[in-house]
Amino acid sequence: MLDGKRILLIVAGGIAAYKTLELTRRLVERGAAVRCVLTAAGAEFVTPFALSALSGDKVYRELFSLTDEHEMGHIQLSRDADLVVVAPATADILAKMAAGLAGDLATTLLLATDKDVLAAPAMNVRMWEHAATRANLATLRERGIGIVGPEEGPMACGEHGWGRMAEPAAILAAIETWFAASGRLGGRSALVTSGPTWEAVDPVRYIGNRSSGKQGHAIAAALARAGARTRLVTGPTHEPDPAGVEIVRVESAREMLKACRAALPSDVAVFAAAVADWRPARKAGHKIKKSSGAPGAIELVENPDVLASVAAAGNLRPALVVGFAAETDDILGNARKKLDRKGCDWILANDVSPGTEVFGGDENSIRMVSGDGVEDWPRLSKEAVAGRLAGRIADWFEARGEAAE
Ligand code: CTP
């Protein structure tokens, strides 16, 4: 799958650099041409000799190396790849990327490249949770940089928490899904819904749910990366805007439906939003005061089904309609029923039972249900699910053999 793909692998200074050796080996096994760049701090953890032996190529280390510049200028090096991967991506290199610093070879390449960049963060849990790192990450995501991991677990420093670099297999899966759809949806248009909806009780209160919008936003980013003109209709989330995507912000289910209808025609539509099934029958025009006593029951009425409505839009129906199913029991049975009831082509069924930490978490366990049967996907990061779905969508259009407009 990675045959002939050129990967520029930037190895920064973290203990997780040892896993990058394994990643390099696996990439080479799959036919990729890996060229490594090692930062000064990275060289404290792995040797250039080991990286060179595994990649079968020389390792680049210095910005002001006359020999390297003579062989290949650093700008050329930054362009001469299909994908740039930063692993481990330390707090330091992420901060430099966000700020646009270019004080050494690695950061200069990252600033000069015109290629996609995928980063695998690795750092101590406190550093990962620090507001500075959170802000840098949001900036990088907004610019379209892919992030894989980190994972939770014991750390080399003796602490426990989020910050361990994703395992080589997970990084490899993210790289493969990145290539799976790349450019293959050029000329297509896509509509994606994401996030929760808020249903107003009064001007300050609403009924909502815990959806983070991570999955829907990642799908919009992946479809845009694959070349589709993508419109994202999103309920309120804290997720950064994905790069290259047109965003329409809404609050309620009815607003979401209106925005989706306005987005038609679209070649493909993916409904990842957790739309509230019901809304208060009446919205109070003013804040309900405590002094007026507990309101007792709030009467609810059913919301429109955005997915079902778009799937039944006659000649405006997208050629491919994909829904999600959040289930806690009889996942397959319920997903099949939803497929029929909502008139969609694929359902990505998601186990959200307590303990799975799917809602608001970083990973999904997907069973893809279609008229052709069921396909179980391994537990993947939401980014990797998005990449895989974009790849499947590209396969589907290619199998139909119709050229994009
Ligand atoms: N959906 C939608 N509009 C709604 C409800 C759901 O577009 N009013 C979409 C979701 O975005 C998702 C799919 O329908 O793609 C299934 O959502 P889910 O919450 O699993 O299904 P429900 O219809 O709410 O069914 P139930 O509550 O019985 O599980």
Side-chain angles (χ1 to χ4, degrees):
M1 189 169 181
L2 295 176
D3 232 2
K5 296 284 188 262
R6 295 163 310 163
I7 294 172
L8 185 67
L9 180 58
I10 296 180
V11 185
I15 183 68
Y18 79 92
K19 293 190 197 169
T20 307
L21 295 175
E22 170 74 6
L23 175 66
T24 307
R25 194 179 63 79
R26 292 201 187 195
L27 285 167
V28 170
E29 263 172 21
R30 279 165 180 71
V34 183
R35 184 168 275 159
C36 296
V37 174
L38 187 60
T39 67
E44 300 288 332
F45 295 92
V46 289
T47 67
F49 191 77
L51 276 176
S52 171
L54 290 166
S55 67
D57 200 345
K58 74 173 281 184
V59 171
Y60 291 80
R61 299 178 63 189
E62 284 167 44
L63 186 54
F64 299 110
S65 156
L66 269 181
T67 349
D68 289 359
E69 277 298 303
H70 181 71
E71 279 175 19
M72 180 182 297
H74 60 270
I75 300 295
Q76 178 66 19
L77 188 58
S78 77
R79 309 275 161 87
D80 211 24
D82 298 306
L83 179 69
V84 181
V85 177
V86 190
T90 56
D92 179 68
I93 203 164
L94 290 171
K96 286 176 175 153
M97 286 163 74
L101 295 180
D104 64 1
L105 179 63
T107 49
T108 301
L109 296 176
L110 285 162
L111 197 60
T113 190
D114 58 354
K115 296 301 178 339
D116 285 342
V117 178
L118 190 66
M123 65 198 75
N124 164 273
V125 57
R126 298 269 169 263
M127 292 164 85
W128 173 248
E129 285 168 0
H130 197 286
T133 307
R134 310 308 309 164
N136 290 333
L137 226 75
T139 303
L140 294 173
R141 279 191 203 271
E142 255 173 56
R143 289 191 199 139
I145 290 181
I147 307 288
V148 47
E151 291 170 0
E152 193 187 12
M155 311 196 139
C157 56
E159 288 189 58
H160 184 102
W162 291 93
R164 282 168 60 99
M165 186 169 89
E167 292 301 320
I171 302 176
L172 194 65
I175 293 172
E176 282 178 341
T177 54
W178 197 277
F179 283 115
S182 177
R184 290 168 59 205
L185 290 171
R188 307 270 177 209
S189 53
L191 164 67
V192 180
T193 69
S194 185
T197 63
W198 285 0
E199 309 297 331
V201 174
D202 68 15
V204 298
R205 301 183 179 92
Y206 62 86
I207 296 175
N209 61 66
R210 294 186 200 278
S211 164
S212 63
K214 278 187 187 145
Q215 185 63 82
H217 279 55
I219 290 169
L223 291 172
R225 231 166 27 227
R229 235 177 321 109
T230 306
R231 186 178 290 191
L232 173 67
V233 178
T234 176
T237 76
H238 295 295
E239 282 298 291
D241 293 348
V245 170
E246 187 190 338
I247 317 261
V248 184
R249 283 174 229 285
V250 297
E251 276 203 357
S252 66
R254 287 188 295 177
E255 286 168 12
M256 188 170 272
L257 175 60
K258 201 167 154 209
C260 287
R261 282 206 182 122
L264 300 180
S266 178
D267 292 317
V268 53
V270 181
F271 295 87
V275 185
D277 291 327
W278 306 283
R279 66 176 183 276
R282 281 166 298 278
K283 175 186 167 191
H286 57 275
K287 184 181 170 202
I288 303 169
K289 300 297 282 178
K290 191 159 79 179
S291 54
S292 60
I298 298 176
E299 191 192 335
L300 298 174
V301 293
E302 197 170 331
N303 262 330
D305 192 306
V306 183
L307 162 55
S309 160
V310 170
N315 55 7
L316 280 180
R317 183 192 194 274
L320 183 62
V321 176
V322 183
F324 271 79
E327 305 292 350
T328 52
D329 0 58
D330 188 14
I331 297 167
L332 222 47
N334 280 321
R336 287 212 172 93
K337 276 186 215 143
K338 254 172 218 174
L339 197 68
D340 291 341
R341 193 173 75 229
K342 301 199 182 222
C344 57
D345 303 298
W346 301 345
I347 286 269
L348 302 193
N350 213 345
D351 183 355
V352 293
S353 33
T356 58
E357 284 162 16
V358 160
F359 250 53
D362 287 312
E363 289 188 333
N364 264 344
S365 301
I366 298 285
R367 312 188 79 179
M368 180 175 148
V369 185
S370 70
D372 298 333
V374 184
E375 188 186 302
D376 284 336
W377 293 5
R379 192 169 167 91
L380 294 169
S381 72
K382 289 183 178 178
E383 296 260 353
V385 166
R388 187 181 270 234
L389 176 61
R392 286 287 190 283
I393 291 172
D395 293 343
W396 188 86
F397 279 108
E398 281 163 13
R400 288 206 333 161
E402 274 170 33
E405 276 172 28

